[in-house]
Amino acid sequence: MSIHLVIIDALNLIRRVHSAQPDPNDIARTITTTTRTLNKIIKESQPTHIIAVFDHHLQDRGWRADILPEYKQNRKPMPEPLMKGLESIQDAWWNLGIDSLLSEGDEADDLVATLAVKVAEHNEKVTIISTDKGYCQLLSPTLQIRDYFQHRWLDEPFIEKEFGVKPKQLADYWGLAGVSSSQVPGVVGIGPKAAKEILTQFSDIEQAYASEELPAKYRKKLDEHIEAARKSKQVSALKTDIELGFNLQDLRYNGPNED
């Protein structure tokens, strides 16, 4: 039997739905809307296995902040009504047949990445439901990312159009250009256009830094800020080696759970 694992980037989906509501205190509406959304996702994707992965709401900024202290320093806290309603949302999703996995020491992104890659490496199909382009560095013939809200696939042609690099170069791209929303600095003076130009000529940051063919206009910038580039790349990359503590059988989708 072929496998299709669907991984829901839970807070990505919930925050998008919640922020669009006229009344942020109306958690019942968030539950109704996310439940309807998940029913559509299940109908469209026909998963054999499914899981929703959450960041733990008490979790700090994790190992990335140890490398870059400014990482996500200015992120907005979760709205209090939403935080208080998370358990009710998880209960409603469980009734749909979707269990919730809460990350502890690692960000949910790394948990999603580890699970997705482990399954995809066995030539089984994986779909990550998220608007987060960070997952695109994981793209493979059996691993795909679906932006449900824009009704599009975040696939290789999308990455080429959006960034001008290959999926496997994305961490290097962000290492050079930075990620302003997460306070990842990249290299001072190198923006998206320059990062694309460098990574068109070279496969990654280290090859560019070591090459005598690196254009002079980028040489000084890299010489001065190579450690920032390396750290920015490191925090932009996803971990895929977390100890999961469960197996795929635990994620089998058997339809709605009966109370």
Side-chain angles (χ1 to χ4, degrees):
M1 171 187 162
S2 60
I3 287 170
H4 182 197
L5 170 64
V6 171
I7 306 174
I8 309 294
D9 183 0
L11 292 184
N12 177 274
L13 186 150
I14 292 168
R15 283 179 179 271
R16 288 290 297 265
V17 169
H18 185 260
S19 65
Q21 291 179 189
D23 181 2
N25 295 305
D26 189 356
I27 297 303
R29 183 167 181 171
T30 302
I31 292 172
T32 299
T33 305
T34 57
T35 298
R36 185 167 63 243
T37 298
L38 288 173
N39 271 322
K40 290 180 180 177
I41 289 169
I42 290 169
K43 185 176 180 180
E44 290 174 7
S45 58
Q46 295 291 302
T48 60
H49 298 72
I50 192 166
I51 189 71
V53 181
F54 286 77
D55 274 314
H56 197 289
H57 71 278
L58 296 176
Q59 182 180 315
D60 62 18
R61 290 175 295 130
W63 63 269
R64 289 180 172 87
D66 294 335
I67 297 169
L68 278 179
E70 64 269 38
Y71 175 72
K72 289 190 176 179
Q73 203 167 38
N74 299 330
R75 68 177 178 179
K76 293 181 180 179
M78 184 182 296
E80 189 173 346
L82 186 55
M83 185 180 293
K84 289 181 177 178
L86 279 183
E87 190 172 336
S88 297
I89 293 171
Q90 290 164 1
D91 287 344
W93 290 15
W94 186 87
N95 290 335
L96 289 178
I98 303 173
D99 207 352
S100 297
L101 180 63
L102 272 66
S103 63
E104 294 291 342
D106 295 280
E107 288 190 82
D109 293 2
D110 296 319
L111 205 54
V112 169
T114 297
L115 178 57
V117 169
K118 281 185 183 295
V119 175
E121 283 180 343
H122 287 85
N123 293 319
E124 303 291 357
K125 185 178 178 181
V126 180
T127 302
I128 300 172
I129 305 293
S130 181
T131 64
D132 187 347
K133 299 177 183 70
Y135 290 122
C136 294
Q137 61 191 279
L138 306 174
L139 283 167
S140 76
T142 57
L143 195 160
Q144 57 189 2
I145 297 100
R146 179 69 171 170
D147 178 348
Y148 172 82
F149 296 98
Q150 295 292 327
H151 304 292
R152 63 186 180 184
W153 295 101
L154 304 185
D155 53 14
E156 193 160 346
F158 171 83
I159 295 304
E160 172 62 34
K161 184 178 179 181
E162 186 86 354
F163 301 105
V165 300
K166 298 174 182 177
K168 65 181 181 181
Q169 293 179 300
L170 281 171
D172 290 274
Y173 175 90
W174 291 315
L176 292 169
V179 186
S180 59
S181 61
S182 299
Q183 290 82 58
V184 176
V187 174
V188 175
I190 291 184
K193 184 178 178 181
K196 174 186 174 182
E197 186 177 328
I198 291 168
L199 294 173
T200 298
Q201 185 176 358
F202 304 100
S203 63
D204 56 35
I205 289 170
E206 296 302 332
Q207 189 186 72
Y209 180 61
S211 176
E212 294 181 0
E213 296 179 14
L214 180 68
K217 59 183 177 179
Y218 302 134
R219 168 54 61 196
K220 188 171 186 293
K221 293 180 175 67
L222 267 190
D223 282 347
E224 291 180 357
H225 302 288
I226 186 60
E227 288 308 315
R230 287 168 174 161
K231 288 181 179 180
S232 296
K233 175 181 176 177
Q234 189 176 356
V235 300
S236 298
L238 294 168
K239 290 176 70 172
T240 58
D241 59 355
I242 297 172
E243 190 66 40
L244 293 175
F246 60 87
N247 59 48
L248 192 60
Q249 185 60 36
D250 298 326
L251 312 183
R252 182 172 290 280
Y253 177 65
N254 295 311
N257 289 307
E258 295 183 10
D259 292 331

